Amino acid sequence: AKAGELIDVSIYGCRVASDSMITEGSRIWLRFEGSSTITATAIWCKDGHIGCRFDGTLDQTLFRSLTLISE
């Protein structure tokens, strides 16, 4: 398992910064802190970032926890 940094997220997909060598169209498995495994497809890969489309929409509770801004 490789670690990556979550850059952007929506209920449909995300952008992750990672040094993993992933090719477009690859099936990937993501695990965010506090979540179970989420399956996705790598839609694009460029400059150390991977654009991922989730197989289903992200759970609203998980989405909110990922997008909360700490103060």
Side-chain angles (χ1 to χ4, degrees), residues 10-26:
S10 76
I11 61 170
Y12 303 107
C14 65
R15 179 166 53 119
V16 176
S18 175
D19 60 1
S20 295
M21 298 299 292
I22 303 285
T23 56
E24 292 177 13
S26 295

Side-chain angles (χ1 to χ4, degrees), residues 1-6 16-20 31 50:
K2 287 270 195 173
E5 180 184 356
L6 183 63
V16 176
S18 175
D19 60 1
S20 295
R31 185 184 310 266
I50 305 164

Side-chain angles (χ1 to χ4, degrees), residues 20-69:
S20 295
M21 298 299 292
I22 303 285
T23 56
E24 292 177 13
S26 295
R27 301 284 300 139
I28 56 176
W29 292 261
L30 304 166
R31 185 184 310 266
F32 301 116
E33 189 172 324
S35 80
S36 56
T37 302
I38 297 165
T39 55
T41 300
I43 300 303
W44 58 266
C45 304
K46 184 178 180 183
D47 301 328
H49 287 187
I50 305 164
C52 307
R53 182 178 61 221
F54 304 136
D55 288 351
T57 56
L58 202 59
D59 175 77
Q60 289 290 336
T61 303
L62 176 58
F63 177 73
R64 280 192 297 276
S65 72
L66 293 171
T67 57
L68 286 176
I69 298 171

